[in-house]
Amino acid sequence: MTTLLFLFVLSAALLHASWNALVKISADRFLGISIIVFFAGLISTSGLFWVGLPTLASLPWLALSAILHIGYCLFLSRSYKTGDLSQVYPIARGCAPLITALLSWLFLREMLPPFAILGVGLIIVGIILIAFPQGRKSLHLDRNTLIAAITTSVFTACYTLSDGVGSRASDNALTYILWLFAINGWVMGAVMYFKYWDTVGKSIRQYWKQGLMGGLMQLLSYGIVIWTMSHAPIVLVAALRETSVLFAMLLSVFILREPFSKMRLLACVVIVAGVIGTKLG
């Protein structure tokens, strides 16, 4: 992976953590994420006239990814409803690189160099340390929240692999990105309308600024990731993206006033070491 791609993915990680923080501070978690996805879809729809239609080869992956993203939004919002950002986010993201690595090896036969494998492993360990700074004693999530967070990571791994393959099947990664977000926005907009039909207009007027900001950050964040996966190994990009946990932890401490600890500081060092390992690999 080139230095430019490397820096792009780290920037995407910061953006991803930022829009997740916006979801956490909204009153209704599912409504919050729905509005963000809806606005990302509106932004993407305006660009469809410039990129043309997606290729036939990418259509199955667009359809599959749209379904997986709905599942991701559903379980992410459910886990944020009762859990802290500083713990839910690392769990939801931490399992994803390992699952992605296994799926990439099984279906795409993508193998990483030894240093890169070490780096991915360190990133996963660091994420676990952030989520559980005092071992099992630090687990403050009820069973349903924990299951929802883990399920979110499964959806994350699956749509990451789907979009990585889909972007490669497309003639232009930008075309795939805009169509993906447009479809997701239309679908989530419909779901939001039927779920909140009596208050959806008021909610959009109330949260349109957060929705627009979050939608733009979501589009840029995952758009960068999809584009990068068309030029670099999927598992490597997926692991680097999860450094967003570092940024989420900082946001949770300084904005949401959630606790910090020495163990989480150690976790930061481990993740940074992992990032260096992936770059050397």
Side-chain angles (χ1 to χ4, degrees):
M1 179 183 292
T2 66
T3 301
L4 182 61
L5 294 179
F6 180 80
L7 294 176
F8 275 159
V9 177
L10 291 182
S11 300
L14 174 58
L15 290 169
H16 190 279
S18 299
W19 78 254
N20 269 260
L22 287 177
V23 172
K24 177 62 180 173
I25 63 177
S26 60
D28 184 316
R29 308 301 187 233
F30 186 75
L31 176 62
I33 195 171
S34 297
I35 291 176
I36 287 174
V37 175
F38 175 69
F39 272 94
L42 288 181
I43 297 170
S44 300
T45 300
S46 65
L48 295 182
F49 300 100
W50 303 96
V51 297
L53 296 173
T55 61
L56 290 176
S58 66
L59 289 180
W61 302 108
L62 280 171
L64 175 61
S65 185
I67 296 172
L68 293 171
H69 275 274
I70 292 173
Y72 165 78
C73 293
L74 176 63
F75 283 96
L76 179 64
S77 61
R78 185 174 297 176
S79 60
Y80 278 154
K81 186 176 182 180
T82 53
D84 288 342
L85 174 69
S86 60
Q87 191 160 65
V88 167
Y89 192 82
I91 295 173
R93 309 305 302 185
C95 300
L98 180 58
I99 299 172
T100 303
L102 292 175
L103 293 177
S104 296
W105 178 73
L106 286 173
F107 295 105
L108 303 181
R109 298 300 177 185
E110 284 191 354
M111 295 296 294
L112 297 177
F115 264 117
I117 294 175
L118 176 61
V120 171
L122 287 174
I123 290 174
I124 294 173
V125 170
I127 292 172
I128 293 173
L129 289 176
I130 287 178
F132 306 105
Q134 297 175 355
R136 294 182 62 182
K137 294 181 180 179
S138 59
L139 182 60
H140 302 303
L141 304 179
D142 60 67
R143 182 178 180 182
N144 291 334
T145 304
L146 181 60
I147 291 175
I150 294 174
T151 305
T152 300
S153 71
V154 174
F155 276 103
T156 300
C158 291
Y159 77 62
T160 298
L161 191 66
S162 175
D163 290 332
V165 176
S167 64
R168 294 177 182 181
S170 178
D171 290 337
N172 188 332
L174 180 61
T175 302
Y176 183 91
I177 292 166
L178 292 181
W179 274 99
L180 172 66
F181 275 94
I183 293 172
N184 285 343
W186 301 336
V187 173
M188 289 302 294
V191 172
M192 181 172 58
Y193 175 79
F194 286 110
K195 184 175 176 62
Y196 306 99
W197 66 271
D198 56 338
T199 60
V200 64
K202 179 181 178 182
S203 297
I204 291 177
R205 288 192 297 271
Q206 182 178 358
Y207 295 113
W208 72 268
K209 291 182 180 180
Q210 294 95 321
L212 181 60
M213 184 183 302
L216 182 59
M217 288 191 293
Q218 186 186 66
L219 175 60
L220 289 173
S221 171
Y222 196 50
I224 291 171
V225 168
I226 294 175
W227 177 78
T228 307
M229 288 191 296
S230 66
H231 296 82
I234 294 174
V235 60
L236 189 58
V237 177
L240 275 177
R241 181 180 59 161
E242 305 317 338
T243 56
S244 59
V245 172
L246 279 176
F247 301 116
M249 182 186 63
L250 295 175
L251 289 172
S252 71
V253 171
F254 292 105
I255 297 179
L256 302 180
R257 302 302 179 184
E258 295 177 4
F260 187 70
S261 67
K262 293 181 180 179
M263 185 60 71
R264 283 181 173 163
L265 178 61
L266 174 62
C268 294
V269 175
V270 173
I271 291 177
V272 170
V275 170
I276 294 173
T278 56
K279 185 64 181 74
L280 292 177

